[in-house]
Amino acid sequence: MAITAAMVKDLREMTGAGMMDCKKALAETEGDMDKAVEFLREKGLAAAEKKAGRIAAEGISYATVTEDGKIAAIVEVNSETDFVAKNDKFKDYVAAVAEQVKTTSAADIDAFLAEPWALEPAKTVKEELSSQIAVIGENMNIRRFKKVVAENGFVEAYIHGGGRIGVLVEMDSDVCNDAAKEVAKNIAMQVAALNPKYVNEAEIPADFMAHEREIIKAQTLNENSGKPENIIEKMIDGRLKKELKEMCLLDQLYVKDGNLTVQKYLDEASKELGSKIAVKSFVRFETGEGIEKKEEDFAAEVAKQMGQ
């Protein structure tokens, strides 16, 4: 069967694959469009496997919330280069992943990857990821996700630096108007900027607290040998208290007004709203955190590809 330019064009639009790949797929399947799509999917999976060894440490973190503010999702999807992370096709894919997270019941990445891809249920999420890797041409990875469902209040999202940091903040509140959402947005910006670990001191695990105290004690004794024990204990208490204030969101100085703590800002906001508003939880993803990036010698890589 003769393979026409129109057939190649149609297949390319359906799959996003390259022109020559589409032409080859149609030739291999004697012009059967459905079989050609399957052929490309299979090739896409092979391409994904070849790229899987590459370190994907760039990418974006993205957060989205339903219109009523009740259900939210945050994801981190990694790519190999910042260039791809800025590509609209990649951004659209990440947004689609986040939309699926809002409806998922999966508790971990493996379960999420195994579920049907909402936009094409014949595929799994993992198979769609492999297809995207084949089309975009870089190793990609859905690294983590979190779904948040507000029980008594709403969720607000904030994206910083084009996806370098994504934040979700769950607020306890009887109101969900523009003013309340503005308060939540300010809190989300605080989380993005100062990276707290806990909402308040009550959330800090006892073993972590004890461990930090031991570290501070060793530091204090090393720096102040010879001082009375009661003075040392007061110094330890002071240092630990200062460290915990930096870790706990509500104790941090509010970034928009250094005369207030976050808790005092919320107290003032509650008075203005005529209803109490409080932080229940937050999630903060910083793209690439904890991933060891591979240092590339660009000149050597070019020379290698040129066979020099």
Side-chain angles (χ1 to χ4, degrees):
M1 178 180 180
I3 306 302
T4 67
M7 292 169 65
V8 173
K9 178 177 179 292
D10 288 345
L11 184 58
R12 189 177 184 187
E13 288 177 352
M14 288 170 64
T15 63
M19 182 175 67
M20 295 308 296
D21 288 333
C22 290
K23 186 174 181 181
K24 181 180 179 181
L26 287 164
E28 290 285 340
T29 58
E30 299 180 343
D32 187 310
M33 195 66 72
D34 290 337
K35 288 182 179 178
V37 170
E38 288 299 312
F39 178 88
L40 287 170
R41 282 185 61 197
E42 290 168 7
K43 297 295 284 184
L45 288 170
E49 288 168 5
K50 288 179 182 178
K51 295 179 178 71
R54 301 180 192 169
I55 296 174
E58 300 294 339
I60 56 176
S61 294
Y62 180 79
T64 180
V65 184
T66 54
E67 193 171 340
D68 63 3
K70 292 295 184 181
I71 302 174
I74 184 169
V75 298
E76 179 187 350
V77 181
N78 301 123
S79 60
E80 291 180 56
T81 66
D82 185 50
F83 177 78
V84 162
K86 294 175 180 176
N87 179 278
D88 286 340
K89 188 171 185 66
F90 178 78
K91 290 179 180 178
D92 289 344
Y93 170 67
V94 175
V97 173
E99 286 300 317
Q100 176 133 351
V101 170
K102 286 196 292 192
T103 64
T104 192
S105 58
D108 56 46
I109 282 289
D110 288 340
F112 181 66
L113 290 173
E115 71 182 29
W117 178 240
L119 297 178
E120 191 176 340
K123 295 180 181 180
T124 63
V125 172
K126 185 175 182 178
E127 287 171 338
E128 175 60 19
L129 173 62
S130 295
S131 297
Q132 291 291 330
I133 291 171
V135 171
I136 290 174
E138 283 194 5
N139 186 28
M140 290 159 48
N141 179 41
I142 302 173
R143 186 185 182 200
R144 51 184 171 168
F145 71 91
K146 180 75 174 179
K147 177 181 178 180
V148 178
V149 180
E151 297 176 3
N152 179 39
F154 64 95
V155 187
E156 186 64 37
Y158 173 67
I159 306 296
H160 178 76
R164 189 173 68 82
I165 297 171
V167 175
L168 288 178
V169 175
E170 181 187 1
M171 308 298 291
D172 263 336
S173 176
D174 292 330
V175 294
C176 185
N177 55 23
D178 289 344
K181 289 181 179 180
E182 183 65 24
V183 172
K185 182 75 75 177
N186 288 335
I187 297 297
M189 291 171 68
Q190 174 88 21
V191 171
L194 293 189
N195 193 18
K197 304 301 180 187
Y198 307 97
V199 173
N200 53 42
E201 195 172 317
E203 286 190 352
I204 302 177
D207 57 348
F208 176 85
M209 189 95 77
H211 180 66
E212 286 301 301
R213 187 176 184 83
E214 286 302 310
I215 292 173
I216 292 171
K217 182 176 181 179
Q219 292 171 345
T220 306
L221 287 170
N222 186 52
E223 296 167 4
N224 301 274
S225 59
K227 287 193 175 182
E229 186 176 337
N230 64 321
I231 298 297
I232 293 291
E233 284 300 315
K234 287 180 180 179
M235 293 174 72
I236 293 169
D237 289 341
R239 288 189 181 188
L240 182 60
K241 187 175 182 180
K242 182 177 183 294
E243 184 175 307
L244 296 181
K245 280 181 177 290
E246 294 171 355
M247 287 185 179
C248 297
L249 172 63
L250 298 183
D251 290 331
Q252 289 180 342
L253 291 178
Y254 179 44
V255 290
K256 286 191 170 185
D257 185 345
N259 294 316
L260 300 175
T261 61
V262 172
Q263 181 59 67
K264 287 181 179 177
Y265 165 66
L266 288 169
D267 291 342
E268 290 190 359
S270 296
K271 290 178 183 176
E272 291 178 10
L273 290 169
S275 178
K276 186 175 180 180
I277 185 167
V279 180
K280 183 173 183 182
S281 67
F282 65 84
V283 184
R284 182 186 187 274
F285 286 175
E286 184 165 348
T287 304
E289 61 185 341
I291 301 175
E292 184 178 346
K293 297 185 181 182
K294 184 179 178 182
E295 297 296 330
E296 298 285 1
D297 184 334
F298 184 68
E301 183 68 19
V302 172
K304 180 181 176 182
Q305 292 192 16
M306 293 178 68
Q308 297 178 357

